Amino acid sequence: VEEGGEEGGSSTRALVEALRAFSTPQWWLIGKSDSEDGDAPAPRRRAKPEEFQKACADRHAEMRKVYESAMAQDSEQRWLRKVSSEGTAGDKVASLTMLIQVCPVFATGYIKALLSMASRTARSDSMMALDALKELFVGTLLPDRKLKTLQQMDPISPKGLKKATFTEICVVSFFEDYLKTAFAAFVQVLGEAGHNTVTFIKTKAIRTAQELLSAKPEQEKALLGLLVNKFGDSSPKVSSNVSYCLKELLKEHPGMKVPVVKEVEAFLARPNITQRSQYFAVLLLSELVLSRNDGAVASQLVKLFVARLEAALRKPALTKKAATKLRKDRHRTGEKQKWISLSEEDNRLVRTLINGIRRMMP
């Protein structure tokens, strides 16, 4: 019995010792090198995907349990955990943020708690949680590359690897899969906030989307779509904010002109968009700053502007009643043709399109 107890204690100490490998906030570097002499690691063997995925879930659950048990011995950690569930809204957000920063790979429950707070946009604490998550994703959680799901990763076999190295790979892989899902959920929360009736919350959502786009490549298409979609918002303040955010994005990342133009072009192709929404979208495109290397983008924009100009100048289709009235008016006045003048909004759009064509022409 004593021998078993010693073995159990030794095993627990080994697990606690293994936790040190996970203490870095740069979780994506964990388990990258399994060689002691600094040489390049040997090629890793492949396992069945379902076996690798199960191993990842099992190892993460095991190590998280050990981590929570170890942290329960620390008075400061116990206090943070208590505040995260019993404190005021501001204290909850602050303590959850600190718990996530200490060891991201075992903070899945705390990330979920912040997401839950951020999703309740009817409550005042949702904006605090939204800000905290944005700062965490940009400053701590997201690497400078797109995340992968477990299905997208190479299924690695434990054969030929040290047990500690395989555990590190499994824990990190499980966390990356979780983080990808969590960030997608955060983008969805931003999308819902963008449809809020309060202008401040909508503006907050699009500014956050722009900051995430500028900082990290994860969920690029979804965030860009969220931004461009708000050209159709009923509030002119929100629509103009979208233009500002996209201009700021292109200042930091000029290489994103092509995806931005494609997204705006897709927005303009939607049926039943308002004249004001169309104007703000076209105005953004007409003011793009292009370089000599952007010839393809300029050509694409000229075609788009010409097509929109033709549509704007095309006579509107008249109803049967309106056509009958027009014929009677012509007969009474003796006019051969009655011109239908453009509205002020149409004139503004036409001027913007013409200016855009002039700017894009070499």
Side-chain angles (χ1 to χ4, degrees):
V1 176
E2 285 182 5
E3 286 181 6
E6 287 178 5
E7 286 178 7
S10 175
S11 176
T12 302
R13 284 195 296 274
L15 285 170
V16 172
E17 186 68 23
L19 288 176
R20 293 186 179 182
F22 301 106
S23 62
T24 173
Q26 292 181 306
W27 58 265
W28 52 90
L29 299 179
I30 298 170
K32 285 298 179 186
S33 176
D34 57 330
S35 58
E36 295 180 354
D37 54 5
D39 295 335
R44 290 166 174 169
R45 299 182 186 180
R46 290 174 63 87
K48 291 181 180 179
E50 60 273 16
E51 290 178 358
F52 176 65
Q53 290 164 25
K54 184 179 185 304
C56 289
D58 291 346
R59 296 293 175 97
H60 187 275
E62 178 188 20
M63 294 307 298
R64 186 184 175 199
K65 187 177 179 180
V66 174
Y67 173 77
E68 290 296 335
S69 177
M71 292 301 101
Q73 310 303 316
D74 185 275
S75 59
E76 183 180 346
Q77 288 290 317
R78 288 199 303 271
W79 179 78
L80 283 173
R81 280 157 174 73
K82 184 177 180 181
V83 173
S84 70
S85 59
E86 300 176 9
T88 63
D91 289 341
K92 282 182 180 179
V93 171
S95 59
L96 286 169
T97 300
M98 291 178 70
L99 286 167
I100 293 167
Q101 289 172 328
V102 168
C103 189
V105 291
F106 298 125
T108 51
Y110 306 129
I111 295 171
K112 185 178 180 180
L114 270 183
L115 279 170
S116 179
M117 289 180 70
S119 65
R120 298 193 291 267
T121 51
R123 294 167 60 97
S124 59
D125 57 1
S126 68
M127 291 299 101
M128 284 190 288
L130 192 144
D131 276 336
L133 280 166
K134 180 201 71 177
E135 294 299 330
L136 280 167
F137 280 123
V138 171
T140 303
L141 296 175
L142 293 177
D144 294 328
R145 61 167 174 82
K146 290 189 177 182
L147 299 171
K148 293 181 180 180
T149 63
L150 279 170
Q151 289 77 14
Q152 293 170 327
M153 299 176 196
D154 289 331
I156 295 170
S157 169
K159 294 178 181 178
L161 290 176
K162 296 175 185 175
K163 185 179 178 181
T165 300
F166 184 65
T167 297
E168 290 169 12
I169 292 169
C170 287
V171 168
V172 168
S173 298
F174 181 89
F175 177 69
E176 180 166 347
D177 178 88
Y178 172 85
L179 190 61
K180 189 171 183 71
T181 303
F183 188 68
F186 182 58
V187 174
Q188 189 174 352
V189 168
L190 287 178
E192 290 168 1
H195 288 95
N196 200 284
T197 54
V198 181
T199 300
F200 168 76
I201 295 178
K202 289 191 285 190
T203 303
K204 184 85 168 175
I206 61 174
R207 289 290 179 94
T208 303
Q210 181 252 316
E211 288 177 44
L212 291 169
L213 266 172
S214 295
K216 303 291 178 179
E218 183 65 19
Q219 289 287 318
E220 180 182 287
K221 184 169 176 58
L223 288 166
L224 188 55
L226 187 158
L227 263 178
V228 172
N229 186 54
K230 296 314 291 176
F231 273 129
D233 196 87
S234 57
S235 168
K237 183 179 180 181
V238 173
S239 298
S240 61
N241 252 305
V242 172
S243 295
Y244 171 79
C245 287
L246 288 171
K247 286 176 182 176
E248 288 299 301
L249 173 66
L250 290 174
K251 278 182 186 177
E252 290 189 51
H253 302 283
M256 286 193 69
K257 290 190 192 84
V258 172
V260 167
V261 169
K262 284 183 178 178
E263 198 66 42
V264 176
E265 190 172 5
F267 172 80
L268 288 169
R270 295 178 194 173
N272 304 322
I273 60 170
T274 65
Q275 195 77 338
R276 188 183 66 226
S277 301
Q278 188 180 172
Y279 167 72
F280 277 119
V282 167
L283 182 63
L284 170 77
L285 295 180
S286 71
E287 293 178 343
L288 287 183
V289 179
L290 303 182
S291 67
R292 291 181 179 180
N293 299 324
D294 293 323
V297 176
S299 177
Q300 183 182 355
L301 287 173
V302 169
K303 289 177 183 177
L304 173 64
F305 292 151
V306 170
R308 304 308 300 184
L309 186 60
E310 289 174 350
L313 295 175
R314 195 177 298 133
K315 289 183 182 179
L318 297 175
T319 62
K320 189 174 181 181
K321 185 177 179 180
T324 302
K325 184 178 182 299
L326 185 59
R327 281 197 302 272
K328 286 181 178 179
D329 288 345
R330 288 176 184 169
H331 180 73
R332 187 177 66 251
T333 60
E335 291 180 1
K336 291 184 179 181
Q337 184 177 9
K338 187 176 180 68
W339 293 98
I340 301 172
S341 61
L342 294 173
S343 66
E344 178 56 38
E345 280 191 341
D346 284 330
N347 270 320
R348 184 174 65 167
L349 177 62
V350 167
R351 288 196 301 270
T352 304
L353 287 165
I354 292 171
N355 286 337
I357 293 171
R358 284 173 176 166
R359 287 194 71 245
M360 300 304 152
M361 295 295 282

